[in-house]
């Protein structure tokens, strides 16, 4: 139960910190959001490529 409380508290502190950042330094927060969005899109495209290689176009077995 201790680790769960620590993780929950960490998430709450991060949320409050990011909200403060968004209110006080709007352009900096927008830049961070843009970088995170670009990273997310890149990771999704990478995952799609890897999944495509794993499960895509297999050669049919000869009869």
């Amino acid at each position: 139960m201790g680790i769960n409380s620590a993780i929950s508290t960490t998430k709450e502190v991060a949320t409050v910190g990011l909200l403060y950042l968004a209110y006080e330094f709007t352009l900096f927060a927008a830049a961070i959001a843009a970088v995170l969005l670009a990273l997310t899109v890149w990771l999704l495209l990478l995952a799609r490529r890897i999944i495509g290689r794993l499960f895509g176009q297999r050669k049919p077995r000869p009869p």
Side-chain angles (χ1 to χ4, degrees):
M1 188 157 120
I3 190 80
N4 191 21
S5 298
I7 292 172
S8 180
T9 302
T10 302
K11 289 191 306 185
E12 296 296 328
V13 169
T15 300
V16 170
L18 288 173
L19 281 173
Y20 171 76
L21 182 69
Y23 284 127
E24 293 296 322
F25 306 102
T26 308
L27 291 177
F28 187 64
I32 290 175
V35 168
L36 289 175
L37 178 64
L39 181 64
T40 301
V41 169
W42 178 75
L43 286 173
L44 285 171
L45 292 173
L46 180 65
R48 180 180 174 200
R49 187 178 310 141
I50 290 171
I51 290 171
R53 285 183 185 167
L54 287 176
F55 299 110
Q57 299 181 356
R58 294 188 180 185
K59 294 179 183 177
R61 292 184 180 176

